[in-house]
Amino acid sequence: MDNSTGVLGEEYVAELIKKKGFKLVIRNYKIKMGEIDIIAKNDKYIIFVEVRTRKEDGMIHPLETITPSKKSKVIRTATYFMMEHPFDLQPRFDVAAVETRDGKVVSCNYIENAFRGF
């Protein structure tokens, strides 16, 4: 995947989240142990969104790229973020699987609370 494909997916998901009534807090939050693509909030939740973007004709589906190790890194990074920036909101981990063709998004499977039971 080239970087422009990933940026396209993240831009699409950021707009989708705004339409769902969330306000973006930060994009591409990075620390030594990991990165979170999008952090957003509404009056109830602070959401940590992992965006996985692949070309439609790729060998694997974007959801297949979310490994237990990746989940663990996202959770640890989110915990650090919450210690740095306390919010009185319920944290939630969402995943967006975006597929593109010819530089355009052709599908987005947005899963709320995707790490439930992890």
mmCIF file of all heavy atoms in Angstrom, residues 66-110:
data_model
loop_
_atom_site.group_PDB
_atom_site.id
_atom_site.type_symbol
_atom_site.label_atom_id
_atom_site.label_comp_id
_atom_site.label_asym_id
_atom_site.label_seq_id
_atom_site.Cartn_x
_atom_site.Cartn_y
_atom_site.Cartn_z
ATOM 1 N N ILE A 66 -5.475 -6.558 11.138
ATOM 2 C CA ILE A 66 -5.563 -6.195 12.558
ATOM 3 C C ILE A 66 -5.218 -7.440 13.384
ATOM 4 O O ILE A 66 -6.062 -8.287 13.633
ATOM 5 C CB ILE A 66 -6.959 -5.680 12.936
ATOM 6 C CG1 ILE A 66 -7.380 -4.595 11.993
ATOM 7 C CG2 ILE A 66 -7.007 -5.281 14.404
ATOM 8 C CD1 ILE A 66 -7.493 -3.231 12.488
ATOM 9 N N THR A 67 -3.978 -7.518 13.785
ATOM 10 C CA THR A 67 -3.483 -8.665 14.540
ATOM 11 C C THR A 67 -3.668 -8.432 16.037
ATOM 12 O O THR A 67 -3.868 -7.289 16.465
ATOM 13 C CB THR A 67 -1.986 -8.871 14.249
ATOM 14 O OG1 THR A 67 -1.280 -7.708 14.721
ATOM 15 C CG2 THR A 67 -1.725 -9.092 12.760
ATOM 16 N N PRO A 68 -3.569 -9.474 16.839
ATOM 17 C CA PRO A 68 -3.597 -9.260 18.296
ATOM 18 C C PRO A 68 -2.504 -8.288 18.753
ATOM 19 O O PRO A 68 -2.731 -7.478 19.642
ATOM 20 C CB PRO A 68 -3.374 -10.668 18.860
ATOM 21 C CG PRO A 68 -3.946 -11.572 17.804
ATOM 22 C CD PRO A 68 -3.595 -10.902 16.497
ATOM 23 N N SER A 69 -1.351 -8.352 18.128
ATOM 24 C CA SER A 69 -0.267 -7.427 18.471
ATOM 25 C C SER A 69 -0.668 -5.988 18.164
ATOM 26 O O SER A 69 -0.398 -5.072 18.960
ATOM 27 C CB SER A 69 0.993 -7.805 17.691
ATOM 28 O OG SER A 69 1.991 -6.839 17.870
ATOM 29 N N LYS A 70 -1.309 -5.761 17.021
ATOM 30 C CA LYS A 70 -1.763 -4.416 16.648
ATOM 31 C C LYS A 70 -2.798 -3.915 17.645
ATOM 32 O O LYS A 70 -2.743 -2.765 18.081
ATOM 33 C CB LYS A 70 -2.328 -4.413 15.223
ATOM 34 C CG LYS A 70 -2.789 -3.048 14.752
ATOM 35 C CD LYS A 70 -1.632 -2.064 14.712
ATOM 36 C CE LYS A 70 -2.075 -0.705 14.215
ATOM 37 N NZ LYS A 70 -1.014 0.285 14.319
ATOM 38 N N LYS A 71 -3.746 -4.757 18.014
ATOM 39 C CA LYS A 71 -4.756 -4.366 19.008
ATOM 40 C C LYS A 71 -4.089 -3.956 20.314
ATOM 41 O O LYS A 71 -4.436 -2.934 20.906
ATOM 42 C CB LYS A 71 -5.719 -5.524 19.279
ATOM 43 C CG LYS A 71 -6.673 -5.818 18.167
ATOM 44 C CD LYS A 71 -7.560 -6.987 18.570
ATOM 45 C CE LYS A 71 -8.449 -7.434 17.439
ATOM 46 N NZ LYS A 71 -9.256 -8.606 17.808
ATOM 47 N N SER A 72 -3.139 -4.755 20.742
ATOM 48 C CA SER A 72 -2.446 -4.475 21.996
ATOM 49 C C SER A 72 -1.717 -3.132 21.935
ATOM 50 O O SER A 72 -1.769 -2.344 22.890
ATOM 51 C CB SER A 72 -1.464 -5.613 22.282
ATOM 52 O OG SER A 72 -0.806 -5.400 23.491
ATOM 53 N N LYS A 73 -1.054 -2.841 20.808
ATOM 54 C CA LYS A 73 -0.358 -1.557 20.658
ATOM 55 C C LYS A 73 -1.332 -0.384 20.691
ATOM 56 O O LYS A 73 -1.063 0.647 21.302
ATOM 57 C CB LYS A 73 0.432 -1.533 19.349
ATOM 58 C CG LYS A 73 1.696 -2.347 19.401
ATOM 59 C CD LYS A 73 2.426 -2.281 18.068
ATOM 60 C CE LYS A 73 3.657 -3.159 18.109
ATOM 61 N NZ LYS A 73 4.368 -3.180 16.829
ATOM 62 N N VAL A 74 -2.465 -0.532 20.028
ATOM 63 C CA VAL A 74 -3.465 0.538 20.019
ATOM 64 C C VAL A 74 -3.986 0.780 21.438
ATOM 65 O O VAL A 74 -4.113 1.931 21.872
ATOM 66 C CB VAL A 74 -4.617 0.222 19.034
ATOM 67 C CG1 VAL A 74 -5.780 1.192 19.221
ATOM 68 C CG2 VAL A 74 -4.119 0.254 17.596
ATOM 69 N N ILE A 75 -4.279 -0.284 22.164
ATOM 70 C CA ILE A 75 -4.791 -0.152 23.531
ATOM 71 C C ILE A 75 -3.746 0.515 24.435
ATOM 72 O O ILE A 75 -4.072 1.416 25.210
ATOM 73 C CB ILE A 75 -5.241 -1.521 24.084
ATOM 74 C CG1 ILE A 75 -6.497 -1.986 23.333
ATOM 75 C CG2 ILE A 75 -5.489 -1.449 25.591
ATOM 76 C CD1 ILE A 75 -6.871 -3.434 23.577
ATOM 77 N N ARG A 76 -2.490 0.094 24.336
ATOM 78 C CA ARG A 76 -1.432 0.711 25.149
ATOM 79 C C ARG A 76 -1.252 2.185 24.796
ATOM 80 O O ARG A 76 -1.082 3.029 25.677
ATOM 81 C CB ARG A 76 -0.108 -0.045 24.972
ATOM 82 C CG ARG A 76 -0.041 -1.340 25.742
ATOM 83 C CD ARG A 76 1.378 -1.902 25.846
ATOM 84 N NE ARG A 76 2.119 -1.875 24.592
ATOM 85 C CZ ARG A 76 2.242 -2.897 23.746
ATOM 86 N NH1 ARG A 76 1.645 -4.045 24.021
ATOM 87 N NH2 ARG A 76 2.955 -2.790 22.645
ATOM 88 N N THR A 77 -1.297 2.499 23.518
ATOM 89 C CA THR A 77 -1.148 3.890 23.086
ATOM 90 C C THR A 77 -2.320 4.732 23.575
ATOM 91 O O THR A 77 -2.139 5.864 24.034
ATOM 92 C CB THR A 77 -1.007 3.956 21.553
ATOM 93 O OG1 THR A 77 0.093 3.124 21.155
ATOM 94 C CG2 THR A 77 -0.757 5.379 21.078
ATOM 95 N N ALA A 78 -3.528 4.184 23.495
ATOM 96 C CA ALA A 78 -4.716 4.901 23.982
ATOM 97 C C ALA A 78 -4.639 5.131 25.487
ATOM 98 O O ALA A 78 -5.014 6.206 25.978
ATOM 99 C CB ALA A 78 -5.979 4.118 23.630
ATOM 100 N N THR A 79 -4.142 4.147 26.206
ATOM 101 C CA THR A 79 -3.989 4.295 27.659
ATOM 102 C C THR A 79 -3.034 5.441 27.977
ATOM 103 O O THR A 79 -3.304 6.268 28.852
ATOM 104 C CB THR A 79 -3.479 2.976 28.276
ATOM 105 O OG1 THR A 79 -4.424 1.942 27.983
ATOM 106 C CG2 THR A 79 -3.303 3.093 29.781
ATOM 107 N N TYR A 80 -1.946 5.510 27.248
ATOM 108 C CA TYR A 80 -0.990 6.598 27.438
ATOM 109 C C TYR A 80 -1.641 7.942 27.117
ATOM 110 O O TYR A 80 -1.486 8.910 27.851
ATOM 111 C CB TYR A 80 0.253 6.366 26.567
ATOM 112 C CG TYR A 80 1.345 7.354 26.842
ATOM 113 C CD1 TYR A 80 2.268 7.129 27.861
ATOM 114 C CD2 TYR A 80 1.456 8.521 26.106
ATOM 115 C CE1 TYR A 80 3.271 8.053 28.134
ATOM 116 C CE2 TYR A 80 2.458 9.448 26.368
ATOM 117 C CZ TYR A 80 3.358 9.210 27.388
ATOM 118 O OH TYR A 80 4.343 10.128 27.648
ATOM 119 N N PHE A 81 -2.385 7.990 26.021
ATOM 120 C CA PHE A 81 -3.074 9.230 25.646
ATOM 121 C C PHE A 81 -4.016 9.681 26.764
ATOM 122 O O PHE A 81 -4.060 10.859 27.112
ATOM 123 C CB PHE A 81 -3.861 9.036 24.344
ATOM 124 C CG PHE A 81 -4.644 10.256 23.952
ATOM 125 C CD1 PHE A 81 -4.052 11.292 23.249
ATOM 126 C CD2 PHE A 81 -5.978 10.387 24.318
ATOM 127 C CE1 PHE A 81 -4.771 12.436 22.913
ATOM 128 C CE2 PHE A 81 -6.707 11.517 23.985
ATOM 129 C CZ PHE A 81 -6.097 12.546 23.286
ATOM 130 N N MET A 82 -4.768 8.730 27.327
ATOM 131 C CA MET A 82 -5.732 9.064 28.392
ATOM 132 C C MET A 82 -5.023 9.541 29.659
ATOM 133 O O MET A 82 -5.560 10.375 30.391
ATOM 134 C CB MET A 82 -6.624 7.859 28.698
ATOM 135 C CG MET A 82 -7.560 7.486 27.559
ATOM 136 S SD MET A 82 -8.813 8.724 27.214
ATOM 137 C CE MET A 82 -9.892 8.477 28.612
ATOM 138 N N MET A 83 -3.834 9.032 29.911
ATOM 139 C CA MET A 83 -3.079 9.522 31.072
ATOM 140 C C MET A 83 -2.587 10.947 30.815
ATOM 141 O O MET A 83 -2.585 11.776 31.722
ATOM 142 C CB MET A 83 -1.902 8.599 31.388
ATOM 143 C CG MET A 83 -2.326 7.289 31.996
ATOM 144 S SD MET A 83 -0.960 6.259 32.610
ATOM 145 C CE MET A 83 0.109 6.121 31.197
ATOM 146 N N GLU A 84 -2.174 11.225 29.587
ATOM 147 C CA GLU A 84 -1.697 12.553 29.201
ATOM 148 C C GLU A 84 -2.822 13.579 29.099
ATOM 149 O O GLU A 84 -2.635 14.748 29.383
ATOM 150 C CB GLU A 84 -1.039 12.466 27.816
ATOM 151 C CG GLU A 84 0.432 12.566 27.799
ATOM 152 C CD GLU A 84 0.951 12.672 26.356
ATOM 153 O OE1 GLU A 84 0.215 12.431 25.371
ATOM 154 O OE2 GLU A 84 2.121 13.024 26.226
ATOM 155 N N HIS A 85 -3.982 13.117 28.622
ATOM 156 C CA HIS A 85 -5.130 13.990 28.346
ATOM 157 C C HIS A 85 -6.388 13.366 28.952
ATOM 158 O O HIS A 85 -7.153 12.726 28.246
ATOM 159 C CB HIS A 85 -5.346 14.145 26.836
ATOM 160 C CG HIS A 85 -4.118 14.506 26.081
ATOM 161 N ND1 HIS A 85 -3.633 15.792 26.013
ATOM 162 C CD2 HIS A 85 -3.263 13.751 25.362
ATOM 163 C CE1 HIS A 85 -2.538 15.802 25.276
ATOM 164 N NE2 HIS A 85 -2.284 14.575 24.872
ATOM 165 N N PRO A 86 -6.607 13.550 30.245
ATOM 166 C CA PRO A 86 -7.776 12.931 30.878
ATOM 167 C C PRO A 86 -9.100 13.477 30.318
ATOM 168 O O PRO A 86 -9.270 14.681 30.163
ATOM 169 C CB PRO A 86 -7.640 13.290 32.353
ATOM 170 C CG PRO A 86 -6.238 13.773 32.526
ATOM 171 C CD PRO A 86 -5.786 14.283 31.195
ATOM 172 N N PHE A 87 -9.972 12.579 29.977
ATOM 173 C CA PHE A 87 -11.330 12.917 29.539
ATOM 174 C C PHE A 87 -12.293 12.151 30.426
ATOM 175 O O PHE A 87 -12.034 11.014 30.795
ATOM 176 C CB PHE A 87 -11.565 12.478 28.081
ATOM 177 C CG PHE A 87 -10.955 13.377 27.052
ATOM 178 C CD1 PHE A 87 -9.677 13.136 26.572
ATOM 179 C CD2 PHE A 87 -11.658 14.449 26.537
ATOM 180 C CE1 PHE A 87 -9.108 13.948 25.597
ATOM 181 C CE2 PHE A 87 -11.108 15.272 25.562
ATOM 182 C CZ PHE A 87 -9.834 15.019 25.095
ATOM 183 N N ASP A 88 -13.405 12.770 30.742
ATOM 184 C CA ASP A 88 -14.435 12.098 31.528
ATOM 185 C C ASP A 88 -15.437 11.447 30.566
ATOM 186 O O ASP A 88 -16.630 11.718 30.615
ATOM 187 C CB ASP A 88 -15.124 13.099 32.456
ATOM 188 C CG ASP A 88 -15.990 12.408 33.493
ATOM 189 O OD1 ASP A 88 -15.756 11.222 33.775
ATOM 190 O OD2 ASP A 88 -16.914 13.060 33.997
ATOM 191 N N LEU A 89 -14.896 10.626 29.674
ATOM 192 C CA LEU A 89 -15.716 9.980 28.649
ATOM 193 C C LEU A 89 -15.383 8.491 28.602
ATOM 194 O O LEU A 89 -14.274 8.086 28.963
ATOM 195 C CB LEU A 89 -15.423 10.595 27.268
ATOM 196 C CG LEU A 89 -15.716 12.086 27.107
ATOM 197 C CD1 LEU A 89 -15.120 12.604 25.805
ATOM 198 C CD2 LEU A 89 -17.225 12.335 27.139
ATOM 199 N N GLN A 90 -16.322 7.706 28.145
ATOM 200 C CA GLN A 90 -16.118 6.272 27.994
ATOM 201 C C GLN A 90 -15.230 6.020 26.771
ATOM 202 O O GLN A 90 -15.560 6.446 25.677
ATOM 203 C CB GLN A 90 -17.474 5.571 27.802
ATOM 204 C CG GLN A 90 -17.392 4.095 27.530
ATOM 205 C CD GLN A 90 -16.885 3.308 28.724
ATOM 206 O OE1 GLN A 90 -17.199 3.615 29.859
ATOM 207 N NE2 GLN A 90 -16.089 2.303 28.451
ATOM 208 N N PRO A 91 -14.093 5.337 26.933
ATOM 209 C CA PRO A 91 -13.274 5.034 25.762
ATOM 210 C C PRO A 91 -13.898 3.909 24.932
ATOM 211 O O PRO A 91 -14.557 3.017 25.470
ATOM 212 C CB PRO A 91 -11.935 4.595 26.350
ATOM 213 C CG PRO A 91 -12.220 4.208 27.745
ATOM 214 C CD PRO A 91 -13.457 4.938 28.180
ATOM 215 N N ARG A 92 -13.690 3.994 23.628
ATOM 216 C CA ARG A 92 -14.201 2.969 22.715
ATOM 217 C C ARG A 92 -13.184 2.801 21.582
ATOM 218 O O ARG A 92 -12.600 3.773 21.119
ATOM 219 C CB ARG A 92 -15.554 3.393 22.153
ATOM 220 C CG ARG A 92 -16.279 2.312 21.372
ATOM 221 C CD ARG A 92 -17.628 2.783 20.910
ATOM 222 N NE ARG A 92 -17.485 3.542 19.664
ATOM 223 C CZ ARG A 92 -18.437 4.312 19.149
ATOM 224 N NH1 ARG A 92 -19.583 4.467 19.784
ATOM 225 N NH2 ARG A 92 -18.247 4.957 18.016
ATOM 226 N N PHE A 93 -13.005 1.575 21.150
ATOM 227 C CA PHE A 93 -12.065 1.271 20.073
ATOM 228 C C PHE A 93 -12.849 0.851 18.842
ATOM 229 O O PHE A 93 -13.564 -0.144 18.861
ATOM 230 C CB PHE A 93 -11.101 0.165 20.491
ATOM 231 C CG PHE A 93 -10.217 0.585 21.633
ATOM 232 C CD1 PHE A 93 -10.596 0.347 22.948
ATOM 233 C CD2 PHE A 93 -9.022 1.245 21.395
ATOM 234 C CE1 PHE A 93 -9.797 0.746 23.997
ATOM 235 C CE2 PHE A 93 -8.217 1.663 22.446
ATOM 236 C CZ PHE A 93 -8.602 1.413 23.748
ATOM 237 N N ASP A 94 -12.718 1.652 17.781
ATOM 238 C CA ASP A 94 -13.407 1.381 16.521
ATOM 239 C C ASP A 94 -12.374 1.038 15.446
ATOM 240 O O ASP A 94 -11.211 1.430 15.542
ATOM 241 C CB ASP A 94 -14.207 2.602 16.059
ATOM 242 C CG ASP A 94 -15.348 2.968 17.006
ATOM 243 O OD1 ASP A 94 -15.572 2.259 18.001
ATOM 244 O OD2 ASP A 94 -16.013 3.987 16.739
ATOM 245 N N VAL A 95 -12.832 0.317 14.441
ATOM 246 C CA VAL A 95 -11.981 -0.035 13.309
ATOM 247 C C VAL A 95 -12.725 0.303 12.028
ATOM 248 O O VAL A 95 -13.928 0.052 11.917
ATOM 249 C CB VAL A 95 -11.625 -1.541 13.332
ATOM 250 C CG1 VAL A 95 -10.949 -1.963 12.038
ATOM 251 C CG2 VAL A 95 -10.739 -1.878 14.525
ATOM 252 N N ALA A 96 -11.997 0.860 11.073
ATOM 253 C CA ALA A 96 -12.563 1.132 9.749
ATOM 254 C C ALA A 96 -11.727 0.389 8.713
ATOM 255 O O ALA A 96 -10.513 0.587 8.633
ATOM 256 C CB ALA A 96 -12.575 2.620 9.455
ATOM 257 N N ALA A 97 -12.383 -0.482 7.950
ATOM 258 C CA ALA A 97 -11.736 -1.200 6.860
ATOM 259 C C ALA A 97 -12.170 -0.550 5.551
ATOM 260 O O ALA A 97 -13.331 -0.625 5.167
ATOM 261 C CB ALA A 97 -12.140 -2.669 6.886
ATOM 262 N N VAL A 98 -11.224 0.114 4.899
ATOM 263 C CA VAL A 98 -11.530 0.889 3.702
ATOM 264 C C VAL A 98 -10.884 0.217 2.490
ATOM 265 O O VAL A 98 -9.718 -0.190 2.546
ATOM 266 C CB VAL A 98 -10.990 2.337 3.843
ATOM 267 C CG1 VAL A 98 -11.280 3.151 2.610
ATOM 268 C CG2 VAL A 98 -11.558 3.006 5.094
ATOM 269 N N GLU A 99 -11.650 0.112 1.417
ATOM 270 C CA GLU A 99 -11.111 -0.404 0.163
ATOM 271 C C GLU A 99 -11.219 0.682 -0.903
ATOM 272 O O GLU A 99 -12.209 1.414 -0.954
ATOM 273 C CB GLU A 99 -11.851 -1.658 -0.282
ATOM 274 C CG GLU A 99 -11.577 -2.843 0.631
ATOM 275 C CD GLU A 99 -12.208 -4.122 0.147
ATOM 276 O OE1 GLU A 99 -13.439 -4.147 -0.009
ATOM 277 O OE2 GLU A 99 -11.464 -5.090 -0.084
ATOM 278 N N THR A 100 -10.176 0.791 -1.737
ATOM 279 C CA THR A 100 -10.129 1.828 -2.762
ATOM 280 C C THR A 100 -9.939 1.208 -4.147
ATOM 281 O O THR A 100 -9.455 0.084 -4.277
ATOM 282 C CB THR A 100 -8.977 2.819 -2.503
ATOM 283 O OG1 THR A 100 -7.722 2.142 -2.664
ATOM 284 C CG2 THR A 100 -9.064 3.438 -1.127
ATOM 285 N N ARG A 101 -10.329 1.980 -5.136
ATOM 286 C CA ARG A 101 -10.078 1.633 -6.537
ATOM 287 C C ARG A 101 -9.855 2.925 -7.294
ATOM 288 O O ARG A 101 -10.649 3.868 -7.175
ATOM 289 C CB ARG A 101 -11.259 0.882 -7.149
ATOM 290 C CG ARG A 101 -11.013 0.488 -8.611
ATOM 291 C CD ARG A 101 -12.198 -0.153 -9.328
ATOM 292 N NE ARG A 101 -13.149 -0.865 -8.505
ATOM 293 C CZ ARG A 101 -14.448 -0.518 -8.397
ATOM 294 N NH1 ARG A 101 -14.930 0.529 -9.046
ATOM 295 N NH2 ARG A 101 -15.253 -1.221 -7.645
ATOM 296 N N ASP A 102 -8.786 2.993 -8.052
ATOM 297 C CA ASP A 102 -8.479 4.171 -8.874
ATOM 298 C C ASP A 102 -8.502 5.474 -8.068
ATOM 299 O O ASP A 102 -9.043 6.486 -8.518
ATOM 300 C CB ASP A 102 -9.453 4.266 -10.056
ATOM 301 C CG ASP A 102 -9.388 3.051 -10.966
ATOM 302 O OD1 ASP A 102 -8.275 2.511 -11.134
ATOM 303 O OD2 ASP A 102 -10.436 2.649 -11.491
ATOM 304 N N GLY A 103 -7.959 5.431 -6.850
ATOM 305 C CA GLY A 103 -7.861 6.639 -6.040
ATOM 306 C C GLY A 103 -9.151 7.098 -5.395
ATOM 307 O O GLY A 103 -9.242 8.224 -4.917
ATOM 308 N N LYS A 104 -10.154 6.213 -5.371
ATOM 309 C CA LYS A 104 -11.446 6.555 -4.751
ATOM 310 C C LYS A 104 -11.859 5.445 -3.785
ATOM 311 O O LYS A 104 -11.595 4.269 -4.023
ATOM 312 C CB LYS A 104 -12.525 6.706 -5.821
ATOM 313 C CG LYS A 104 -12.298 7.880 -6.742
ATOM 314 C CD LYS A 104 -13.490 8.046 -7.664
ATOM 315 C CE LYS A 104 -13.495 9.340 -8.360
ATOM 316 N NZ LYS A 104 -12.670 9.632 -9.420
ATOM 317 N N VAL A 105 -12.531 5.832 -2.713
ATOM 318 C CA VAL A 105 -13.049 4.846 -1.760
ATOM 319 C C VAL A 105 -14.246 4.144 -2.387
ATOM 320 O O VAL A 105 -15.175 4.795 -2.865
ATOM 321 C CB VAL A 105 -13.447 5.522 -0.428
ATOM 322 C CG1 VAL A 105 -14.164 4.553 0.496
ATOM 323 C CG2 VAL A 105 -12.219 6.112 0.255
ATOM 324 N N VAL A 106 -14.212 2.800 -2.387
ATOM 325 C CA VAL A 106 -15.335 2.027 -2.935
ATOM 326 C C VAL A 106 -16.124 1.315 -1.834
ATOM 327 O O VAL A 106 -17.275 0.943 -2.042
ATOM 328 C CB VAL A 106 -14.887 1.016 -4.015
ATOM 329 C CG1 VAL A 106 -14.375 1.742 -5.241
ATOM 330 C CG2 VAL A 106 -13.855 0.039 -3.488
ATOM 331 N N SER A 107 -15.498 1.134 -0.651
ATOM 332 C CA SER A 107 -16.247 0.562 0.464
ATOM 333 C C SER A 107 -15.575 0.924 1.775
ATOM 334 O O SER A 107 -14.361 1.147 1.826
ATOM 335 C CB SER A 107 -16.365 -0.961 0.346
ATOM 336 O OG SER A 107 -15.130 -1.584 0.607
ATOM 337 N N CYS A 108 -16.407 0.999 2.809
ATOM 338 C CA CYS A 108 -15.903 1.259 4.159
ATOM 339 C C CYS A 108 -16.755 0.472 5.137
ATOM 340 O O CYS A 108 -17.962 0.699 5.247
ATOM 341 C CB CYS A 108 -15.952 2.749 4.494
ATOM 342 S SG CYS A 108 -15.393 3.104 6.184
ATOM 343 N N ASN A 109 -16.134 -0.463 5.806
ATOM 344 C CA ASN A 109 -16.797 -1.236 6.852
ATOM 345 C C ASN A 109 -16.342 -0.645 8.182
ATOM 346 O O ASN A 109 -15.205 -0.842 8.597
ATOM 347 C CB ASN A 109 -16.404 -2.714 6.733
ATOM 348 C CG ASN A 109 -17.110 -3.589 7.743
ATOM 349 O OD1 ASN A 109 -17.984 -3.147 8.476
ATOM 350 N ND2 ASN A 109 -16.718 -4.843 7.793
ATOM 351 N N TYR A 110 -17.240 0.126 8.833
ATOM 352 C CA TYR A 110 -16.913 0.797 10.089
ATOM 353 C C TYR A 110 -17.490 -0.023 11.236
ATOM 354 O O TYR A 110 -18.700 -0.248 11.302
ATOM 355 C CB TYR A 110 -17.471 2.224 10.103
ATOM 356 C CG TYR A 110 -16.947 3.031 11.262
ATOM 357 C CD1 TYR A 110 -15.797 3.795 11.123
ATOM 358 C CD2 TYR A 110 -17.570 3.002 12.504
ATOM 359 C CE1 TYR A 110 -15.290 4.516 12.194
ATOM 360 C CE2 TYR A 110 -17.073 3.718 13.567
ATOM 361 C CZ TYR A 110 -15.932 4.478 13.408
ATOM 362 O OH TYR A 110 -15.421 5.187 14.475
#
